Amino acid sequence: MRTALLLLVLPLATVGCTPLDTGFQKPDTDEPVDTADTDTDTEPIDTADTDGDLDDDGFTPEDGDCDDDNIRVSPAREEDDSDGLDNDCDGRVDEEWSGFSVGRVDDNGAGSIIVLDTIGRDDDTVNLSNGCVPSWLDHYGEGWAISNGGAAVSVVDVAGTCTDLADFSDTEVYEYGVWGIATMPDGFGLDGIVLATTVTSLEGVAADGTVTQLASWVVDFEDIAAHEFAAVSAAVDPATGQVGLFDYFGGFGTWTPDGGLVVHRKGDWESPTLMTTSGAHRDGGGWYTQGTDATTGAMGVYQFDLDAGDWVLIEGWADDTWSPAQVAIDGDSGDFYLTANVSGIFPSVYRIVDGSGYAADFFRIETDYAGYFYGIATNYTHGG
Ligand SMILES: [Ca+2]
Ligand SMILES: [Ca+2]
Ligand SMILES: [Ca+2]
Ligand SMILES: [Ca+2]
């Protein structure tokens, strides 16, 4: 059995807020649709278009139109789950949200993955073999990839058979072990690669166990001036392949195969504002984290404002018996779901309805259960 969850020691400070940049683009309506056209030609509308929106659906490719030759494809469309198109341009084709996969670790060390449906029913519990522990998890083929207790990146099939792909337990090489993981979607040159954060680097783990370092940065817990970043979790925007890297002390970075690493906010361990262990990308736009205000201890969901270079509180609540672990987002509604552990009582998946102030248990185990929830990943079905 493996153990090794939270390894760093945390100092405290204050938090600042800036206005939310939702990233929403107003449709441009300056180009009326060919109203004078009375003939029966089959030419596309607006062939002389100069506003860059060829199909006149209100979005240019720069605005996020991922098919500028089809009005049923744009960020303003709902997804149709049977037409083979990514109607809403979130990088997922024919997707329908179907619930979550939740990593559970019992007090006796047994690891499992609970599969929840859209209203929080336990559809399945997959018990992991080989003493594997799902500290962080993401989808991998029909099963999952996990950060296995901080010591390995492992894959789990639907029957629960757990196989290590790559070992990260040698602290001479990986001082802090392996933390958050995320599976790269196909189409960005890293098909099937499991991204793994080691605090000091981003590593890519292939199906054959080969580990390739994708980025590294300066981690210096003696010298804050030299220190850059301490990334403990990763998430991917499936529309662009951009990777978000979430720092334990409130920093944030992005990485792309072509552009490399950009640190948008330094992780300040000397006077952190926000403490966090996971993050997620919302389908259609935005990087989010679950975190704790380092001064007040209040918990919240935050969005990263790339222009301001800071986190913006989206929803917050104060209950110091709660300890949020990780966050996932329902790609249909945008609501937030957090694994959380209530001191001495029970673990929960907590649901926060975006923009409503509503927050309550979505799923919990109440009867004679001792254990914790950790990793959480959003589940989708594809095709109607
Ligand atoms: Ca368009
Ligand atoms: Ca379009
Ligand atoms: Ca889609
Ligand atoms: Ca579709």
Side-chain angles (χ1 to χ4, degrees), residues 18-354:
T18 50
L20 169 63
D21 174 13
T22 63
F24 179 73
Q25 291 281 149
K26 274 197 219 158
D28 88 58
T29 50
D30 61 344
E31 204 64 10
V33 178
D34 208 3
T35 48
D37 190 349
T38 53
D39 60 23
T40 54
D41 69 73
T42 54
E43 287 297 299
I45 295 170
D46 196 17
T47 49
D49 200 306
T50 53
D51 68 357
D53 177 11
L54 293 179
D55 58 4
D56 278 325
D57 62 2
F59 293 84
T60 67
E62 289 69 35
D63 294 335
D65 190 352
C66 56
D67 181 350
D68 206 17
D69 195 31
N70 188 337
I71 61 164
R72 293 186 183 83
V73 175
S74 86
R77 288 287 181 183
E78 299 294 316
E79 187 70 34
D80 179 304
D81 71 1
S82 62
D83 65 357
L85 301 169
D86 176 14
N87 306 86
D88 56 1
C89 290
D90 62 2
R92 305 181 195 276
V93 175
D94 290 359
E95 79 284 4
E96 184 178 5
W97 172 57
S98 63
F100 294 97
S101 301
V102 176
R104 180 176 95 173
V105 183
D106 300 346
D107 259 5
N108 65 8
S112 54
I113 295 172
I114 305 172
V115 179
L116 301 178
D117 72 9
T118 57
I119 60 167
R121 287 177 297 216
D122 179 352
D123 264 2
D124 194 11
T125 297
V126 177
N127 295 310
L128 307 193
S129 70
N130 296 323
C132 288
V133 171
S135 304
W136 281 263
L137 61 83
D138 199 356
H139 296 281
Y140 185 84
E142 295 295 305
W144 300 270
I146 65 171
S147 173
N148 188 358
V153 170
S154 311
V155 290
V156 178
D157 68 17
V158 291
T161 305
C162 178
T163 309
D164 286 356
L165 286 186
D167 189 280
F168 286 85
S169 65
D170 183 353
T171 54
E172 294 291 314
V173 184
Y174 302 106
E175 186 175 356
Y176 305 100
V178 62
W179 288 54
I181 60 146
T183 306
M184 272 304 275
D186 289 351
F188 303 102
L190 291 170
D191 293 10
I193 295 291
V194 179
L195 304 169
T197 51
T198 69
V199 180
T200 63
S201 66
L202 176 68
E203 309 284 337
V205 180
D208 65 1
T210 306
V211 178
T212 305
Q213 186 164 97
L214 301 173
S216 64
W217 43 82
V218 176
V219 175
D220 190 335
F221 293 128
E222 304 292 324
D223 181 358
I224 189 64
H227 179 80
E228 274 186 295
F229 203 44
V232 295
S233 182
V236 185
D237 175 355
T240 64
Q242 188 179 48
V243 178
L245 292 165
F246 303 85
D247 176 289
Y248 196 87
F249 302 97
F252 179 71
T254 51
W255 179 86
T256 56
D258 295 336
L261 176 72
V262 178
V263 177
H264 300 279
R265 180 177 176 82
K266 175 174 174 156
D268 186 351
W269 52 261
E270 208 168 47
S271 52
T273 54
L274 180 69
M275 313 299 303
T276 183
T277 53
S278 88
H281 182 270
R282 177 143 73 180
D283 286 358
W287 299 101
Y288 293 81
T289 192
Q290 117 292 340
T292 305
D293 184 309
T295 306
T296 65
M299 289 162 289
V301 172
Y302 297 78
Q303 181 181 13
F304 197 76
D305 181 333
L306 287 162
D307 295 327
D310 202 359
W311 294 102
V312 178
L313 182 67
I314 300 298
E315 296 283 352
W317 66 98
D319 181 344
D320 60 12
T321 63
W322 280 86
S323 178
Q326 295 185 36
V327 62
I329 302 172
D330 154 16
D332 288 354
S333 69
D335 294 340
F336 305 99
Y337 292 77
L338 277 66
T339 50
N341 296 291
V342 184
S343 178
I345 307 174
F346 54 77
S348 166
V349 176
Y350 208 54
R351 177 182 178 223
I352 299 163
V353 175
D354 184 34

